[in-house]
Amino acid sequence: MRSRVLLILTVFLMFACSKSEEDLSNLNSYLISKEQVKKEGVIACAASDRSDASISYIFYYPVPGSRNIQYFETNSISVDPNDFSQYESVSLEKEGVFNDYLGRFIRNGSNEVWSVVTHEVNNIVHVSNPIRLKNTSKPTEWNNSVVIDQGVELMPEFSWMDGVVRENVIYFQVITNQEGNLLSGTYTYEKMFQYYKLDNVVLNVTRETPPALQIGMNYGFTLMGVSEDNWVNLVIEKNFEAN
């Protein structure tokens, strides 16, 4: 009798643990299990690979102190993107971008879904806005079409045009040094940014005042044109020499 009771108890505990783990793989259940949640607390967007549209990169900004960075996605796009019960945790490879200033998940799959990135800071779970993957219907356009006006010494002005898909509502600009380290990361609504003027900057992820550029040194400019649903329609990459 005793062995039978122990067997039933063991099975019950195994089921309970399995059920708990299963629940926490669901975004809604995961958030309910936490004491504090901050929506729109993760800056994130997604783009398809330059040459293989079946590969998507889900970019995110890991604020200092963030941990337990997770990726969730829906089964399809035909769901309410704001219904977190539709999202399940998916284990994806991730890597650093701009020498780990940003990060990105690497997703291999042609199916389009909604996705969300979360991380924890000081026991508060931060959740990104839903990201609509469009890797098949509107693959990201990659080019180097940017005008760099260096009429003001060491304060180059960058201007660009939208690509084939003209659905961008915000633009993310990154200036890097020769080692690939991020010097400045800014968002504008306008198709123009001048280093380092913040007149038209609406969001700034630069942690410290960036250094002045040096004459004759090489730098990199990266631009992401992002739609309202956080899909990157356009990526521009261009190296330049400061003068």
Side-chain angles (χ1 to χ4, degrees), residues 5-228:
V5 172
L6 288 174
L7 177 61
I8 293 174
L9 182 60
T10 301
V11 171
F12 173 79
L13 290 173
M14 290 176 62
F15 175 79
C17 292
S18 175
K19 188 72 168 66
S20 175
E21 290 175 2
E22 180 183 351
D23 286 344
L24 292 183
S25 71
N26 178 272
L27 178 57
N28 192 57
S29 298
Y30 168 60
L31 298 180
I32 289 175
S33 73
K34 300 298 181 177
E35 292 185 1
Q36 297 185 65
V37 175
K38 181 179 180 181
K39 296 182 180 179
E40 303 179 8
V42 180
I43 300 172
C45 60
S48 60
D49 181 73
R50 180 190 301 269
S51 56
D52 186 350
S54 67
I55 298 176
S56 297
Y57 302 110
I58 297 86
F59 296 90
Y60 58 89
Y61 172 56
V63 298
S66 61
R67 63 179 187 84
N68 193 23
I69 302 169
Q70 296 191 63
Y71 171 80
F72 296 81
E73 68 177 39
T74 64
N75 287 325
S76 71
I77 59 171
S78 57
V79 298
D80 178 359
N82 296 307
D83 179 1
F84 288 161
S85 68
Q86 299 292 330
Y87 293 82
E88 297 293 329
S89 175
V90 178
S91 179
L92 296 179
E93 177 186 356
K94 61 178 183 285
E95 62 184 10
V97 183
F98 305 125
N99 290 335
D100 295 329
Y101 200 99
L102 303 182
R104 70 182 184 186
F105 289 97
I106 304 172
R107 181 182 186 271
N108 197 335
S110 58
N111 60 312
E112 297 188 351
V113 297
W114 289 94
S115 63
V116 158
V117 176
T118 68
H119 65 221
E120 297 183 28
V121 183
N122 297 326
N123 296 319
I124 301 174
V125 179
H126 296 248
V127 187
S128 74
N129 284 323
I131 306 164
R132 166 73 155 83
L133 300 192
K134 301 177 184 176
N135 47 295
T136 299
S137 58
K138 295 178 181 178
T140 304
E141 178 182 353
W142 296 67
N143 63 45
N144 61 357
S145 300
V146 58
V147 176
I148 305 176
D149 182 349
Q150 300 204 60
V152 179
E153 186 178 49
L154 300 179
M155 294 183 66
E157 181 179 294
F158 307 88
S159 58
W160 56 88
M161 299 295 293
D162 283 329
V164 175
V165 178
R166 301 186 177 185
E167 298 177 355
N168 302 315
V169 296
I170 198 167
Y171 302 90
F172 178 45
Q173 311 91 29
V174 172
I175 308 298
T176 53
N177 62 15
Q178 292 184 101
E179 290 73 39
N181 296 312
L182 185 147
L183 301 182
S184 76
T186 51
Y187 286 81
T188 67
Y189 292 136
E190 299 178 73
K191 303 180 184 71
M192 183 275 289
F193 169 71
Q194 185 173 8
Y195 187 90
Y196 178 68
K197 291 183 67 176
L198 304 180
D199 298 15
N200 66 336
V201 170
V202 294
L203 180 61
N204 191 354
V205 297
T206 312
R207 295 172 191 158
E208 300 175 357
T209 302
L213 302 184
Q214 299 181 42
I215 293 177
M217 297 293 289
N218 292 317
Y219 297 91
F221 172 79
T222 302
L223 180 283
M224 294 185 185
V226 188
S227 61
E228 188 173 5

